[in-house]
């Protein structure tokens, strides 16, 4: 299982699971609806797809499916970042960083964090 196999909303579902651990489909729907409108039936369909991809699993508690992640967030983040660097920036992490610095509004506090990371390296 790699990050490129997950769609945008599937990744949002995974984020809810990584943040909360074990939740039912209604709780996932409610969490997602704080930011955008998504039907509960869509969440249920996406959860079945995620189970088929072995990204999540469920237990039955009081006749309710309680879902939990099978893949780790850092693994998905690492694979997605590596894919972005390889596919868009020809394998150059410096190219990604340069692009972000030149084209994104990065708050001073985050720039300070980046400087510290570079200086500590």
């Amino acid at each position: 299982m790699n990050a490129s196999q997950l769609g945008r909303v599937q990744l949002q579902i995974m984020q809810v699971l990584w943040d909360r651990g074990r939740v039912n489909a209604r709780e996932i729907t409610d969490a997602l609806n704080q930011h955008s409108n998504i039907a509960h039936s869509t969440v249920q369909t996406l959860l079945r797809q995620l189970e088929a991809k072995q990204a999540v699993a469920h237990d039955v508690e009081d006749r309710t499916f309680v879902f939990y992640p099978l893949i780790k967030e850092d693994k998905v983040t690492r694979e997605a970042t590596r894919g972005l660097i390889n596919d868009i920036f020809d394998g150059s992490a410096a190219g990604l960083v340069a692009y972000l610095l030149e084209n994104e509004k990065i708050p001073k506090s985050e720039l300070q964090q980046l400087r510290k990371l570079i200086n500590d390296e």
Side-chain angles (χ1 to χ4, degrees), residues 3 9 37 68 96 100 102 108-109:
V9 180
N37 193 16
Y68 54 92
L96 170 61
L100 292 172
E102 293 168 2
K108 279 191 175 203
S109 61

Side-chain angles (χ1 to χ4, degrees), residues 24-77:
N24 64 43
R26 174 56 61 194
E27 293 169 317
I28 294 169
T29 301
D30 291 345
L32 295 177
N33 278 323
Q34 291 178 2
H35 305 288
S36 62
N37 193 16
I38 186 165
H40 183 59
S41 59
T42 301
V43 171
Q44 291 173 312
T45 298
L46 292 169
L47 283 165
R48 282 192 297 277
Q49 292 171 357
L50 286 166
E51 280 192 298
K53 293 177 180 182
Q54 299 182 333
V56 304
H58 74 271
D59 292 326
V60 179
E61 296 177 7
D62 297 324
R63 299 188 319 188
T64 301
F65 283 18
V66 177
F67 294 89
Y68 54 92
L70 293 176
I71 57 175
K72 301 245 184 264
E73 182 177 14
D74 65 329
K75 179 179 188 256
V76 173
T77 301

